[in-house]
Amino acid sequence: VQLQASGGGLVHSGGSLTLSCVASGFSSEYYSIGWLRQVSGKERERVACAGNIGSTYIEDPLRGRFTISRDNAKRTVYLQIDNLKPEDTGVYYCATPCLGVVTARADLELEGQGTLVTVSS
C-alpha cells in the first residue's frame, strides 16, 4: 500500500512541469489524493486535492498556475505546474486523504516519499 511520487527535476523559471503520483495496493479510485509541498523557509503546505468523482481543489495562492487531475485507470494523480517560479522550489509530496473535495472513503492515511522540484532563475 503506497503512493509513489515522481516527475520532479530542474526547470528554468517560467517553465512547466507535471508531477505524477501512482497509487498501489489499494482501491485509489475511492480516495481523495492530493499534493503538499515543503519549500524553503516555509512549513509544509497544501497545494491541491483531487476527489474521487472529479472534484478538485487548489489552494487559493496557487490557483492559475497549478492544475490537478487524475486518471483512475492508471491509478495516477497529476499535478501540472505552469509558469514555475524560484519560490516553487521544494519537495512535493502526494498524500491521502486531502481536504476540499468529496470523497467516498477516507479510512486510509498515506504519504509518498516526495519528489524534488528545483526552479532556476
Side-chain angles (χ1 to χ4, degrees):
V1 179
Q2 66 175 355
L3 295 171
Q4 182 87 20
S6 64
L10 175 62
V11 185
H12 290 299
S13 181
S16 297
L17 203 60
T18 298
L19 308 181
S20 299
C21 175
V22 179
S24 61
F26 66 103
S27 299
S28 59
E29 64 269 27
Y30 297 112
Y31 293 83
S32 62
I33 297 176
W35 292 90
L36 309 95
R37 68 180 186 176
Q38 179 81 59
V39 299
S40 180
K42 291 188 176 182
E43 296 184 358
R44 185 176 290 196
E45 60 182 352
R46 292 192 301 267
V47 174
C49 184
N52 69 303
I53 54 173
S55 60
T56 61
Y57 178 80
I58 307 288
E59 291 293 325
D60 282 347
L62 305 176
R63 291 181 184 178
R65 296 194 299 119
F66 288 68
T67 305
I68 189 169
S69 61
R70 66 190 297 166
D71 183 337
N72 286 332
K74 295 182 178 180
R75 296 174 169 266
T76 302
V77 174
Y78 303 97
L79 182 71
Q80 180 178 329
I81 314 172
D82 297 316
N83 190 23
L84 278 154
K85 303 177 180 181
E87 53 263 41
D88 294 320
T89 295
V91 180
Y92 287 70
Y93 304 86
C94 56
T96 186
C98 53
L99 301 178
V101 298
V102 175
T103 184
R105 298 184 64 172
D107 56 324
L108 183 67
E109 290 188 10
L110 283 176
E111 184 175 295
Q113 86 287 0
T115 186
L116 176 63
V117 173
T118 305
V119 185
S120 62
S121 57

